[in-house]
């Protein structure tokens, strides 16, 4: 939609004498004024349709696989699909994301994400996101202990799972995930030290990592909703008082009554953050019905294994 | 007129002179009389003091210790003097660090290695005036035996290491007297950089310190540095022994240079010439072929490089490791880095006093490391440098400024002062380095860095005689000279790797010092052969 419309300054039928010593080129603006080439449009539509079908198929197969592997999985799909007309098929993350477009050009070396975390507060969300990242990319994960951290419990040393059998060749990986247990007041991520300042706070790092998995919703309202849920999770659920937590639980319950996931029909970072913080604040037992159902649904996704492992 | 006047003037002058002379004489006589009086008084004084110096046998210069007596006297260490020992009568042997007389009292600071405490001689019923005077006149750095009561103090003595107690001296004997003039003052040598300039006080430069190394070694900083260095050696030995390594001793006089020909010392060896070993490399490898499996070696290493830098010595102590591995040379890297981490941890946990002491004179950030140690690959390092705007080829060796820059970049991202750089380009490594199976441009070699400076260079070695011959030919090495070395791999050699660390460099970089001569007790460089 054009913002301003200006009347033509001169008559549109003016005849100009063009010199003959120049080449004549077709008008490159013609397409913009008119419509996009219909053939291209049709092709795009066809591709979108094919992709959509493919995703539905993939989701259906995964749903089936889950019903086979986990005993009470049927809760997930059936209950939530009865809630909304749209079936929440996306248990894996949508959108084709390419690391080159996301993180800038390839320099021929491993892109290593360094996360400094305090062993007193293991970042559960990041552990979850790590395991999802591992399903998507070839991730070289390593855990280190910084000399400033004293006595790190052994289960934290193996929190990123067993060592990759190919871990001796760093060049074979797309992404490095280096978790350093360090005496830091606030969780910190360092990625490109040359042109990025260190990112502080688990919530912000989680947002960054999630964008590597799927683009944020294009609708600004939904994107903001996701962000606000993430903030709520980290500031009110994880750190808040009992009273605040109760308020959040009520809000969660209301939101989950309207849609299967927190930010609508799609599983998003909001769900990961709220689930992990809920787990950490140990208020799972007092959860209202919608929240309880949502917790089960989250657990059925199978992403939260690493987080539950470190809840002690 | 002039003639008449002139003699008159002279006469007057003469008269004046004689008057002056008289006055002078008179004065001199007065002076002499005063002197005589004074001397008489002094003599009388001395006589009287000698007569009534009741504490005569409580001080003095004791006879030279030639082991005439074996006393049952227990000498207490300065560091053990705490409020727990309050009001005990103890014997102590220490150096006089400083002395300050003040009327009827004399304060001494007694020093023993890096510890010191305040002692006090005061005129009273135990000590006489003469004793106080004697104590005040003991030259700095003399060694004394002292019997004293330990007393707690109300106000902490800030200038001493034992802040809660002081000594009330009962007896004091000089065991060894120092010359009154010292070539340098300990306070000046131990003053932090920059502080002297502000206060207009003297600082001692590095060369003067090294010329008078014996005195410089007495400073608390030097004491701490070399205690820590001993700790590094000890931790190195302990860790490796625990891992099942065997300590070996290798010859230092060798017949052929091991690493390139240029930078070796030649010594005359009867009718022929020999070289001083640049590294125990060949012998370590031969031990591996001799089925020793895992060996290490602590000993002198010689480099005849004519480079006068802050980090090069011509003789230093090498800590060398060589081990056979099963399938991948990263087993060796893991073993070495773990040893280093154990050393760092040991220093952090057991040598905190020494680190603090050195930091007082040479402030630096505490040494940071990761466990397990960070390992980066050469291509990654090149990418990091490219990103920082450094232009260099993929197979180019790291220059010293680039090494430092890389160290800073790694520190910024990972916050570690210690890391391993793996997979160096084959072209920049010695002939016995194993090529990378996946990319012939690279090799199975690694360097380790502390605070951005290289401390260890190592690799998987070629254990196949044929490949070794090929590589030597490629590097245009005379095969005749290294025949014995190549032959040792003909009769079955296990895959192996290793590396060598410079002890002085490790200490220097761990403490964040700026000159390797500070961590070498009697440094050798192209310009220094004494002391």
């Amino acid at each position: 939609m054009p913002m301003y419309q200006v009347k033509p300054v001169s008559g549109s039928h003016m005849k100009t004498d063009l010199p003959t010593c120049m080449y004549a080129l077709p008008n490159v603006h013609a397409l913009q004024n008119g419509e996009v080439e219909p053939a291209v449009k049709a092709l795009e539509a066809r591709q979108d349709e094919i992709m959509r079908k493919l995703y539905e198929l993939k989701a259906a197969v995964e749903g089936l696989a889950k019903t086979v592997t986990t005993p009470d999985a049927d809760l997930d799909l059936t209950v939530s699909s009865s809630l909304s007309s749209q079936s929440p098929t996306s248990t894996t993350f949508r959108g084709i994301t390419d690391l080159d477009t996301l993180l800038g050009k390839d320099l021929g070396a491993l892109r290593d994400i360094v996360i400094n975390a305090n062993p007193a507060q293991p970042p559960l969300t990041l552990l979850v996101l790590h395991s999802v990242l591992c399903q998507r990319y070839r991730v070289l994960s390593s855990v280190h202990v910084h000399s400033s951290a004293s006595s790190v419990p052994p289960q934290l040393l193996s929190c990123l799972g067993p060592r990759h059998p190919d871990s001796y060749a760093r060049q074979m990986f797309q992404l490095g995930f280096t978790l350093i247990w360090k005496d830091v007041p606030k969780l910190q991520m360092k990625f490109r030290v040359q042109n990025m300042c260190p990112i502080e706070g688990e919530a912000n790092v989680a947002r960054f990592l999630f964008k590597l998995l799927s683009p944020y919703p294009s609708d600004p309202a939904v994107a903001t909703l996701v962000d606000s849920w993430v903030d709520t999770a980290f500031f009110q659920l994880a750190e808040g008082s009992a009273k605040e937590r109760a308020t959040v639980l009520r809000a969660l319950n209301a939101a989950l009554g309207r849609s299967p996931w927190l930010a609508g029909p799609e599983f998003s970072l909001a769900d990961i953050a709220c689930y992990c913080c809920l787990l950490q604040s140990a208020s799972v037992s007092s959860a209202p019905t919608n929240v309880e159902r949502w917790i089960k649904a989250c657990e059925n996704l199978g992403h939260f294994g690493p987080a539950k492992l470190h809840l002690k | 007129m002039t003639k008449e006047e002139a003699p008159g003037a002279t006469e007057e002058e003469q008269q004046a002179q004689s008057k002056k002379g008289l006055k002078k004489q008179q004065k001199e006589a007065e002076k002499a009389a005063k002197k005589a009086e004074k001397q008489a008084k002094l003599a009388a004084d001395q006589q009287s003091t000698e007569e009534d110096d009741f504490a005569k046998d409580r001080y003095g210069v004791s006879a030279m210790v030639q082991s005439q007596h074996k006393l049952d006297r227990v000498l207490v260490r300065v560091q053990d003097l705490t409020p727990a020992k309050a009001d005990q009568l103890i014997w102590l042997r220490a150096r006089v660090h400083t002395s300050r007389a003040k009327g009827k009292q004399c304060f001494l600071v007694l020093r023993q290695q890096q510890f010191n405490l305040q002692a006090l001689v005061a005129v009273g019923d135990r000590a006489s005036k003469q004793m106080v005077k004697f104590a005040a006149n003991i030259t700095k750095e003399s060694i004394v035996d002292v019997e004293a009561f330990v007393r707690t103090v109300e106000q902490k003595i800030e200038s001493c290491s034992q802040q809660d107690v002081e000594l009330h001296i009962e007896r004091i004997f000089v065991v060894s007297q120092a010359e009154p003039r010292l070539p340098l003052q300990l306070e000046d040598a131990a003053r932090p950089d920059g502080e002297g300039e502000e206060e207009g006080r003297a600082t001692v430069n590095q060369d003067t310190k090294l010329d008078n190394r014996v005195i410089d070694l007495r400073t608390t900083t030097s004491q701490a540095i070399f205690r820590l260095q001993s700790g590094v050696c000890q931790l190195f030995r302990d860790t490796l022994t625990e891992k099942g390594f065997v300590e070996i001793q290798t010859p230092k006089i060798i017949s052929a240079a091991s690493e390139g020909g240029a930078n070796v010392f030649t010594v005359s060896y009867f009718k022929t010439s020999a070289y001083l070993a640049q590294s125990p490399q060949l012998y370590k490898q031969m031990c591996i072929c001799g089925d020793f499996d895992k060996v290490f070696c602590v000993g002198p290493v010689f480099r005849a490089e004519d480079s006068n830098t802050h980090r090069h010595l011509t003789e230093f102590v090498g800590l060398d490791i060589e081990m056979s591995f099963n399938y991948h040379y990263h087993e060796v890297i893991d073993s070495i880095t773990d040893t280093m981490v154990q050393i760092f941890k040991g220093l952090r946990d057991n040598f905190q006093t020494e680190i603090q002491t050195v930091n007082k004179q040479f402030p630096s950030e505490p040494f940071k490391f990761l466990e397990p140690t960070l390992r980066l690959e050469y291509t990654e390092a090149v990418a990091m440098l490219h990103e920082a705007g450094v232009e260099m080829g993929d197979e180019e060796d790291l220059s010293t400024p680039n090494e430092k820059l890389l160290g800073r970049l790694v520190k910024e991202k990972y916050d570690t002062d210690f890391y391993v750089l793996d997979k160096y380009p084959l072209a920049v490594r010695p002939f016995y380095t194993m090529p990378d199976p996946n990319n012939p441009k690279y090799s199975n070699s690694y360097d380790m860095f502390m605070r951005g400076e290289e401390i260890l260079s190592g690799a998987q070695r070629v254990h196949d005689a044929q490949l070794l011959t090929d590589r030597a030919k490629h590097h245009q090495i005379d095969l005749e000279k290294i025949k014995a070395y190549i032959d040792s791999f003909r009769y079955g050699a296990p895959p192996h790797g290793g590396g060598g660390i410079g002890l002085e460099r490790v200490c220097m970089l761990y403490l964040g010092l700026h000159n390797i001569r500070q961590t070498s007790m009697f440094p050798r460089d192209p310009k220094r052969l004494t002391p």
Side-chain angles (χ1 to χ4, degrees), chain B residues 16 130 152 154 166 219 223 245 257 262 335 358 364 386 419 494 500 519:
Chain B
Q130 291 75 28
T152 51
E154 281 166 22
E166 65 176 10
T219 58
Q223 288 284 324
F245 278 74
S335 198
V358 177
S364 72
H386 274 312
Y419 68 97
T519 54

Side-chain angles (χ1 to χ4, degrees), chain B residues 77-342:
Chain B
R77 315 266 322 153
V78 167
Q79 72 214 70
D80 297 333
L81 292 175
T82 53
K85 282 218 170 17
D87 301 322
Q88 286 180 20
L89 187 63
I90 52 115
W91 274 97
L92 176 85
R93 176 171 293 182
R95 275 184 197 278
V96 175
H97 187 64
T98 56
S99 65
R100 182 164 49 91
K102 202 171 150 194
K104 289 185 170 182
Q105 288 180 322
C106 176
F107 287 97
L108 301 167
V109 175
L110 299 180
R111 192 187 75 233
Q112 196 173 59
Q113 288 150 1
Q114 69 266 50
F115 305 101
N116 52 15
L117 89 169
Q118 180 171 281
L120 169 69
V121 194
V123 176
D125 51 345
R126 311 290 285 168
S128 64
K129 223 172 166 180
Q130 291 75 28
M131 182 170 163
V132 174
K133 207 171 158 196
F134 174 82
N137 283 333
I138 299 175
T139 49
K140 276 188 188 180
E141 295 302 302
S142 296
I143 300 171
V144 292
D145 270 1
V146 161
E147 189 188 32
F149 277 109
V150 184
R151 304 278 190 221
T152 51
V153 288
E154 281 166 22
Q155 220 170 12
K156 283 199 171 190
I157 305 162
E158 298 291 347
S159 58
C160 293
S161 67
Q162 311 310 110
Q163 303 194 326
D164 301 316
V165 292
E166 65 176 10
L167 293 182
H168 289 199
I169 292 177
E170 295 279 300
R171 293 165 201 265
I172 181 163
F173 297 101
V174 176
V175 176
S176 171
Q177 200 145 23
E179 280 187 16
R181 268 179 66 87
L182 294 166
L184 58 98
Q185 299 298 317
L186 259 75
E187 284 85 8
D188 298 341
R191 189 162 290 138
D193 286 342
E195 200 173 281
E197 286 153 32
E198 282 163 31
E199 294 170 19
R201 286 192 188 151
T203 47
V204 187
N205 67 22
Q206 185 78 43
D207 268 335
T208 319
K209 282 187 197 175
L210 293 181
D211 287 338
N212 302 287
R213 193 58 159 158
V214 176
I215 296 178
D216 181 47
L217 286 177
R218 291 179 193 167
T219 58
T220 49
T221 311
S222 299
Q223 288 284 324
I225 289 175
F226 292 104
R227 271 154 215 283
L228 184 119
Q229 190 171 76
S230 152
V232 172
C233 258
Q234 168 98 39
L235 288 161
F236 181 77
R237 279 205 171 91
D238 287 355
T239 314
L240 288 177
T241 311
E242 205 164 288
K243 285 177 189 286
F245 278 74
V246 179
E247 177 160 10
I248 56 164
Q249 302 296 340
T250 61
K252 306 300 171 212
I253 303 175
I254 55 171
S255 61
S258 56
E259 291 174 41
N263 45 5
V264 280
F265 285 110
T266 317
V267 290
S268 76
Y269 195 73
F270 303 111
K271 279 180 182 142
T272 159
S273 60
Y275 304 102
L276 291 181
Q278 292 163 306
S279 81
Q281 173 76 31
L282 308 187
Y283 295 94
K284 288 190 302 183
Q285 286 192 260
M286 287 191 218
C287 284
I288 296 295
C289 294
D291 274 354
F292 274 95
D293 203 26
K294 295 169 172 181
V295 295
F296 73 96
C297 162
V298 179
V301 177
F302 304 90
R303 297 282 157 93
E305 283 165 277
D306 192 8
S307 46
N308 287 289
T309 69
H310 75 286
R311 57 175 194 162
H312 283 98
L313 291 173
T314 50
E315 179 185 343
F316 60 91
V317 178
L319 310 175
D320 278 87
I321 302 176
E322 197 75 28
M323 64 179 270
S324 60
F325 59 81
N326 297 333
Y327 296 105
H328 200 285
Y329 74 103
H330 280 179
E331 296 166 31
V332 181
I333 294 190
D334 291 344
S335 198
I336 298 177
T337 53
D338 183 56
T339 308
M340 293 306 291
V341 167
Q342 293 307 321

